[in-house]
CSV table of all heavy atoms in Angstrom, one decimal:
chain,number,residue,atom,x,y,z
A,95,VAL,N,-2.0,-7.9,4.7
A,95,VAL,CA,-3.0,-7.0,5.2
A,95,VAL,C,-3.5,-6.1,4.1
A,95,VAL,O,-4.7,-5.7,4.0
A,95,VAL,CB,-2.6,-6.2,6.4
A,95,VAL,CG1,-1.5,-5.2,6.1
A,95,VAL,CG2,-3.8,-5.6,7.1
A,96,LEU,N,-2.6,-5.7,3.2
A,96,LEU,CA,-3.0,-4.8,2.0
A,96,LEU,C,-4.0,-5.6,1.1
A,96,LEU,O,-5.1,-5.0,0.8
A,96,LEU,CB,-1.8,-4.4,1.2
A,96,LEU,CG,-2.1,-3.6,0.0
A,96,LEU,CD1,-2.8,-2.3,0.3
A,96,LEU,CD2,-0.8,-3.3,-0.8
A,97,ALA,N,-3.7,-6.8,0.8
A,97,ALA,CA,-4.5,-7.6,-0.1
A,97,ALA,C,-5.9,-7.8,0.5
A,97,ALA,O,-7.0,-7.6,-0.1
A,97,ALA,CB,-3.9,-8.9,-0.5
A,98,GLU,N,-5.9,-8.1,1.8
A,98,GLU,CA,-7.2,-8.4,2.5
A,98,GLU,C,-8.0,-7.1,2.6
A,98,GLU,O,-9.2,-7.1,2.5
A,98,GLU,CB,-6.9,-9.0,3.8
A,98,GLU,CG,-6.3,-10.4,3.8
A,98,GLU,CD,-6.1,-11.0,5.1
A,98,GLU,OE1,-6.4,-10.4,6.1
A,98,GLU,OE2,-5.5,-12.2,5.2
A,99,THR,N,-7.3,-6.0,2.9
A,99,THR,CA,-8.0,-4.7,3.0
A,99,THR,C,-8.6,-4.2,1.7
A,99,THR,O,-9.8,-3.8,1.6
A,99,THR,CB,-7.1,-3.7,3.6
A,99,THR,OG1,-6.6,-4.1,4.9
A,99,THR,CG2,-7.7,-2.3,3.7
A,100,LEU,N,-7.8,-4.4,0.6
A,100,LEU,CA,-8.4,-4.0,-0.7
A,100,LEU,C,-9.6,-4.8,-1.1
A,100,LEU,O,-10.5,-4.3,-1.8
A,100,LEU,CB,-7.3,-4.2,-1.8
A,100,LEU,CG,-6.1,-3.2,-1.8
A,100,LEU,CD1,-5.0,-3.7,-2.6
A,100,LEU,CD2,-6.6,-1.8,-2.2
A,101,ALA,N,-9.7,-6.0,-0.6
A,101,ALA,CA,-10.9,-6.8,-0.9
A,101,ALA,C,-12.1,-6.5,-0.1
A,101,ALA,O,-13.2,-6.9,-0.4
A,101,ALA,CB,-10.5,-8.3,-0.7
A,102,GLU,N,-11.8,-5.7,1.0
A,102,GLU,CA,-12.9,-5.4,2.0
A,102,GLU,C,-13.5,-4.0,1.8
A,102,GLU,O,-14.7,-3.8,2.2
A,102,GLU,CB,-12.4,-5.6,3.4
A,102,GLU,CG,-12.2,-7.0,3.8
A,102,GLU,CD,-13.6,-7.7,4.1
A,102,GLU,OE1,-14.6,-7.0,4.3
A,102,GLU,OE2,-13.6,-8.9,4.0
A,103,VAL,N,-12.8,-3.0,1.3
A,103,VAL,CA,-13.2,-1.6,1.3
A,103,VAL,C,-13.2,-1.1,-0.1
A,103,VAL,O,-12.4,-1.5,-1.0
A,103,VAL,CB,-12.4,-0.8,2.3
A,103,VAL,CG1,-12.5,-1.3,3.7
A,103,VAL,CG2,-11.0,-0.6,1.8
A,104,GLU,N,-14.0,0.0,-0.3
A,104,GLU,CA,-14.0,0.7,-1.6
A,104,GLU,C,-13.3,2.0,-1.6
A,104,GLU,O,-13.1,2.7,-2.6
A,104,GLU,CB,-15.4,0.8,-2.1
A,104,GLU,CG,-16.1,-0.6,-2.4
A,104,GLU,CD,-17.5,-0.4,-3.0
A,104,GLU,OE1,-17.9,0.7,-3.3
A,104,GLU,OE2,-18.1,-1.4,-3.2
A,105,VAL,N,-12.9,2.5,-0.4
A,105,VAL,CA,-12.2,3.7,-0.3
A,105,VAL,C,-10.7,3.5,-0.6
A,105,VAL,O,-10.3,2.3,-0.5
A,105,VAL,CB,-12.4,4.3,1.2
A,105,VAL,CG1,-13.8,4.6,1.4
A,105,VAL,CG2,-11.8,3.4,2.2
A,106,PRO,N,-10.0,4.5,-0.9
A,106,PRO,CA,-8.5,4.4,-1.2
A,106,PRO,C,-7.8,3.8,0.0
A,106,PRO,O,-8.1,4.1,1.2
A,106,PRO,CB,-8.1,5.8,-1.5
A,106,PRO,CG,-9.3,6.5,-2.0
A,106,PRO,CD,-10.4,5.9,-1.2
A,107,VAL,N,-6.8,2.9,-0.3
A,107,VAL,CA,-6.1,2.2,0.8
A,107,VAL,C,-4.6,2.7,0.6
A,107,VAL,O,-4.0,2.5,-0.5
A,107,VAL,CB,-6.2,0.7,0.6
A,107,VAL,CG1,-5.3,0.0,1.7
A,107,VAL,CG2,-7.6,0.3,0.8
A,108,VAL,N,-4.0,3.2,1.7
A,108,VAL,CA,-2.6,3.6,1.7
A,108,VAL,C,-1.8,2.4,2.4
A,108,VAL,O,-2.3,1.9,3.4
A,108,VAL,CB,-2.4,4.9,2.5
A,108,VAL,CG1,-1.0,5.3,2.6
A,108,VAL,CG2,-3.2,6.0,1.8
A,109,ALA,N,-0.7,2.0,1.8
A,109,ALA,CA,0.1,1.0,2.4
A,109,ALA,C,1.2,1.5,3.2
A,109,ALA,O,1.8,2.5,2.9
A,109,ALA,CB,0.7,0.2,1.2
A,110,ALA,N,1.4,0.9,4.4
A,110,ALA,CA,2.4,1.4,5.4
A,110,ALA,C,3.1,0.2,6.0
A,110,ALA,O,2.5,-0.8,6.3
A,110,ALA,CB,1.7,2.2,6.5
A,111,GLY,N,4.4,0.4,6.2
A,111,GLY,CA,5.2,-0.5,7.0
A,111,GLY,C,6.4,-1.0,6.2
A,111,GLY,O,6.2,-1.8,5.2
A,112,GLY,N,7.6,-0.6,6.5
A,112,GLY,CA,8.8,-1.1,5.9
A,112,GLY,C,9.0,-0.7,4.5
A,112,GLY,O,9.7,-1.4,3.7
A,113,ILE,N,8.6,0.5,4.2
A,113,ILE,CA,8.7,1.0,2.8
A,113,ILE,C,9.8,2.0,2.7
A,113,ILE,O,9.8,3.1,3.4
A,113,ILE,CB,7.4,1.7,2.3
A,113,ILE,CG1,6.2,0.7,2.5
A,113,ILE,CG2,7.5,2.2,0.9
A,113,ILE,CD1,4.9,1.3,2.3
A,114,GLY,N,10.9,1.7,1.9
A,114,GLY,CA,12.0,2.6,1.9
A,114,GLY,C,12.7,2.8,0.6
A,114,GLY,O,13.6,3.6,0.5
A,115,THR,N,12.2,2.1,-0.5
A,115,THR,CA,12.8,2.2,-1.8
A,115,THR,C,11.8,2.4,-2.9
A,115,THR,O,10.6,2.1,-2.7
A,115,THR,CB,13.6,0.9,-2.1
A,115,THR,OG1,12.6,-0.2,-2.2
A,115,THR,CG2,14.6,0.6,-1.0
A,116,ALA,N,12.2,2.9,-4.0
A,116,ALA,CA,11.3,3.1,-5.2
A,116,ALA,C,10.8,1.8,-5.6
A,116,ALA,O,9.6,1.7,-6.1
A,116,ALA,CB,12.1,3.8,-6.3
A,117,GLU,N,11.6,0.7,-5.6
A,117,GLU,CA,11.1,-0.6,-6.0
A,117,GLU,C,9.9,-1.1,-5.1
A,117,GLU,O,9.0,-1.6,-5.6
A,117,GLU,CB,12.3,-1.6,-6.0
A,117,GLU,CG,13.4,-1.3,-7.0
A,117,GLU,CD,14.2,-0.2,-6.6
A,117,GLU,OE1,14.3,0.3,-5.5
A,117,GLU,OE2,14.9,0.4,-7.6
A,118,ARG,N,10.0,-0.8,-3.8
A,118,ARG,CA,8.9,-1.3,-3.0
A,118,ARG,C,7.7,-0.4,-3.2
A,118,ARG,O,6.6,-0.9,-3.2
A,118,ARG,CB,9.4,-1.2,-1.5
A,118,ARG,CG,8.4,-1.7,-0.5
A,118,ARG,CD,8.1,-3.1,-0.7
A,118,ARG,NE,7.3,-3.7,0.4
A,118,ARG,CZ,6.3,-4.6,0.3
A,118,ARG,NH1,6.1,-5.1,-1.0
A,118,ARG,NH2,5.7,-5.1,1.3
A,119,VAL,N,7.9,0.9,-3.4
A,119,VAL,CA,6.8,1.8,-3.7
A,119,VAL,C,6.1,1.3,-5.0
A,119,VAL,O,4.8,1.1,-5.0
A,119,VAL,CB,7.3,3.2,-3.9
A,119,VAL,CG1,6.1,4.1,-4.5
A,119,VAL,CG2,7.8,3.8,-2.6
A,120,ASP,N,6.8,1.0,-6.0
A,120,ASP,CA,6.2,0.5,-7.3
A,120,ASP,C,5.5,-0.8,-7.0
A,120,ASP,O,4.3,-1.0,-7.6
A,120,ASP,CB,7.4,0.2,-8.3
A,120,ASP,CG,8.0,1.5,-8.8
A,120,ASP,OD1,7.5,2.6,-8.5
A,120,ASP,OD2,9.0,1.4,-9.5
A,121,ALA,N,6.0,-1.7,-6.3
A,121,ALA,CA,5.4,-3.0,-6.1
A,121,ALA,C,4.0,-2.8,-5.3
A,121,ALA,O,3.0,-3.5,-5.7
A,121,ALA,CB,6.3,-3.9,-5.2
A,122,LEU,N,4.0,-1.9,-4.4
A,122,LEU,CA,2.7,-1.7,-3.6
A,122,LEU,C,1.7,-1.0,-4.4
A,122,LEU,O,0.5,-1.3,-4.3
A,122,LEU,CB,3.1,-1.0,-2.3
A,122,LEU,CG,3.9,-1.8,-1.3
A,122,LEU,CD1,4.5,-0.9,-0.2
A,122,LEU,CD2,3.0,-2.9,-0.7
A,123,LEU,N,2.1,0.0,-5.2
A,123,LEU,CA,1.2,0.7,-6.1
A,123,LEU,C,0.6,-0.3,-7.1
A,123,LEU,O,-0.6,-0.3,-7.4
A,123,LEU,CB,1.8,1.9,-6.7
A,123,LEU,CG,2.3,3.0,-5.8
A,123,LEU,CD1,2.9,4.1,-6.6
A,123,LEU,CD2,1.1,3.6,-5.0
A,124,GLY,N,1.5,-1.2,-7.6
A,124,GLY,CA,1.1,-2.2,-8.5
A,124,GLY,C,0.1,-3.2,-7.9
A,124,GLY,O,-0.7,-3.8,-8.6
A,125,ALA,N,0.2,-3.4,-6.6
A,125,ALA,CA,-0.7,-4.4,-5.9
A,125,ALA,C,-2.0,-3.8,-5.6
A,125,ALA,O,-2.9,-4.4,-5.1
A,125,ALA,CB,0.0,-4.9,-4.7
A,126,GLY,N,-2.2,-2.5,-5.9
A,126,GLY,CA,-3.5,-1.8,-5.7
A,126,GLY,C,-3.5,-0.7,-4.6
A,126,GLY,O,-4.6,-0.1,-4.5
A,127,ALA,N,-2.4,-0.5,-3.9
A,127,ALA,CA,-2.4,0.7,-3.0
A,127,ALA,C,-2.5,2.0,-3.7
A,127,ALA,O,-2.0,2.2,-4.8
A,127,ALA,CB,-1.1,0.7,-2.2
A,128,ALA,N,-3.3,2.9,-3.2
A,128,ALA,CA,-3.5,4.2,-3.8
A,128,ALA,C,-2.3,5.1,-3.5
A,128,ALA,O,-2.1,6.1,-4.2
A,128,ALA,CB,-4.8,4.8,-3.3
A,129,ALA,N,-1.6,4.8,-2.4
A,129,ALA,CA,-0.4,5.6,-2.0
A,129,ALA,C,0.4,4.8,-1.0
A,129,ALA,O,-0.1,3.7,-0.6
A,129,ALA,CB,-0.8,6.9,-1.4
A,130,VAL,N,1.5,5.3,-0.6
A,130,VAL,CA,2.3,4.6,0.4
A,130,VAL,C,2.6,5.6,1.5
A,130,VAL,O,2.7,6.8,1.3
A,130,VAL,CB,3.6,4.0,-0.1
A,130,VAL,CG1,3.3,2.9,-1.2
A,130,VAL,CG2,4.5,5.0,-0.7
A,131,ARG,N,2.8,5.1,2.7
A,131,ARG,CA,3.2,5.9,3.9
A,131,ARG,C,4.6,5.5,4.3
A,131,ARG,O,4.9,4.3,4.4
A,131,ARG,CB,2.3,5.7,5.0
A,131,ARG,CG,2.9,6.0,6.4
A,131,ARG,CD,1.8,6.0,7.5
A,131,ARG,NE,0.9,7.1,7.2
A,131,ARG,CZ,-0.1,7.3,8.1
A,131,ARG,NH1,-0.3,6.6,9.1
A,131,ARG,NH2,-0.9,8.3,7.8
A,132,VAL,N,5.5,6.5,4.5
A,132,VAL,CA,6.9,6.3,4.8
A,132,VAL,C,7.2,7.1,6.1
A,132,VAL,O,6.9,8.2,6.3
A,132,VAL,CB,7.8,6.8,3.7
A,132,VAL,CG1,9.2,6.6,4.0
A,132,VAL,CG2,7.4,6.0,2.4
A,133,GLY,N,7.9,6.4,7.0
A,133,GLY,CA,8.3,7.0,8.3
A,133,GLY,C,9.8,7.0,8.5
A,133,GLY,O,10.4,8.0,8.6
A,134,THR,N,10.4,5.8,8.6
A,134,THR,CA,11.8,5.7,9.0
A,134,THR,C,12.7,6.5,8.1
A,134,THR,O,13.7,7.1,8.6
A,134,THR,CB,12.2,4.2,9.0
A,134,THR,OG1,11.3,3.5,9.9
A,134,THR,CG2,13.6,4.0,9.5
């Protein structure tokens, strides 16, 4: 959903869902997310 969303919009995209480690944060920022959302 992140990849598809980045291809559709020009506003910043925050990635959310199952993010709990620095490695996952790095991967999502590297994939184009402007930020990540963390809950659990």
